[in-house]
Amino acid sequence: MNHEGVRGFYRGFGTSLMGTIPARALYMTALEITKSSVGTATVRLGCSDTTATAIANAAAGLSSAMAAQLVWTPIDVVSQRLMVQDCNASSIKSSKNMIPCSSPCRYVNGIDGFRKILNADGPRGLYRGFGISILTYAPSNAVWWASYSVAHRLVWGCIGCYANKKDENAVNGGGGCGYTPISKEMVAVQGVCAAMASGVSAMITMPLDTIKTRLQVLDGEENGRTRPLTVMQTVKNLVKEGGFAACYRGLGPRWVSMAMSATTMITTYEFLKRLSAKNRESLTS
């Protein structure tokens, strides 16, 4: 903020935006197909509705994250390079908490970043950290969707029971939670559940995300040559810097970021699903 103003917080925004449409298209397609298939299979195996929903959501989150990473990893690499590229020697010396950025190369914008990384490292450079990204986002999404499913049922159950106790004339005579919500309440509950699920997911997968980010933006030196760090080298560096707690640096911002992103995604996703259901009903009636 001191050196660049608000614009400094939006480095790499254009690049991230460019990858959002194809990545989300892959994500949602894999999500719906897997959720439908796994949900049907778990019900046939005799699982309860709650268990079947949680398993289907976890499996769907796992497969959708893996599909989306085909697009997101190159976008991540370029946007993160743009975010850290102005680290310099003087600023590093002035603060013991700062780490040097990976490349002295200057990127004008996202397209320039793609071109220079391709020229320097080939396609492999754009997929740097792809393996650890899968290991980060696949379980993260599985945990998020499973947590969201459980939170969604719990919150609606509490709201429905409270409404029925408050109104003795409600559906089911106040004992069965037959509450019918309005659209604003649905959006509010979806937002709360998304924030809760984001917190659970962030706590569990934060160490993997920290390792992934460092792999994508930092380099090491070997015999005077700059080379990408390995996973083990990255983990050792983190442990030396601050022990296991170093893996949880930035947990608060990541939780907020995940909660905001997830709330926007889930409310839009659920709204489009309701809209599609209404359109289908109007066409069949």
Side-chain angles (χ1 to χ4, degrees), residues 11 21 34 47 92 99 120 163 186 204 215 218 220 225 256 274:
R11 279 192 192 166
I21 295 174
T34 308
C47 296
I92 293 165
I99 50 178
M186 293 175 72
I204 293 173
L215 278 173
L218 298 178
R225 297 182 63 184
V256 172
R274 291 196 300 272

Side-chain angles (χ1 to χ4, degrees), residues 160-219:
C161 288
Y162 173 77
N164 281 341
K165 287 178 181 177
K166 191 175 180 181
D167 184 3
E168 292 181 356
N169 296 321
V171 179
N172 295 337
C177 299
Y179 175 66
T180 303
I182 61 175
S183 58
K184 288 182 180 179
E185 290 174 334
M186 293 175 72
V187 171
V189 169
Q190 286 161 7
V192 170
C193 294
M196 291 168 64
S198 297
V200 175
S201 181
M203 283 292 294
I204 293 173
T205 61
M206 185 69 196
L208 288 172
D209 189 61
T210 303
I211 294 167
K212 174 196 73 72
T213 302
R214 289 198 169 207
L215 278 173
Q216 290 178 331
V217 303
L218 298 178
D219 280 327

Side-chain angles (χ1 to χ4, degrees), residues 119-243:
N119 289 340
D121 303 317
R124 187 176 179 180
L126 290 174
Y127 280 90
R128 187 170 170 178
F130 178 73
I132 194 70
S133 292
I134 293 292
L135 290 175
T136 300
Y137 290 119
S140 175
N141 274 266
V143 170
W144 192 94
W145 281 102
S147 301
Y148 176 80
S149 173
V150 173
H152 199 256
R153 284 180 174 271
L154 286 174
V155 172
W156 276 126
C158 292
I159 292 175
C161 288
Y162 173 77
N164 281 341
K165 287 178 181 177
K166 191 175 180 181
D167 184 3
E168 292 181 356
N169 296 321
V171 179
N172 295 337
C177 299
Y179 175 66
T180 303
I182 61 175
S183 58
K184 288 182 180 179
E185 290 174 334
M186 293 175 72
V187 171
V189 169
Q190 286 161 7
V192 170
C193 294
M196 291 168 64
S198 297
V200 175
S201 181
M203 283 292 294
I204 293 173
T205 61
M206 185 69 196
L208 288 172
D209 189 61
T210 303
I211 294 167
K212 174 196 73 72
T213 302
R214 289 198 169 207
L215 278 173
Q216 290 178 331
V217 303
L218 298 178
D219 280 327
E221 282 193 13
E222 188 176 320
N223 299 324
R225 297 182 63 184
T226 301
R227 307 188 77 174
L229 293 168
T230 64
V231 173
M232 288 306 299
Q233 286 173 330
T234 304
V235 172
K236 286 178 181 178
N237 290 341
L238 273 169
V239 172
K240 285 180 182 178
E241 288 175 26

Side-chain angles (χ1 to χ4, degrees), residues 6-58:
V6 176
R7 187 177 179 182
F9 291 102
Y10 284 87
R11 279 192 192 166
F13 175 73
T15 305
S16 295
L17 193 63
M18 183 174 64
T20 295
I21 295 174
R24 283 298 179 194
L26 277 171
Y27 185 93
M28 290 303 179
T29 302
L31 184 79
E32 285 297 323
I33 292 172
T34 308
K35 191 186 291 187
S36 176
S37 302
V38 176
T40 303
T42 50
V43 170
R44 286 176 180 172
L45 290 172
C47 296
S48 65
D49 286 346
T50 303
T51 304
T53 302
I55 293 172
N57 277 301

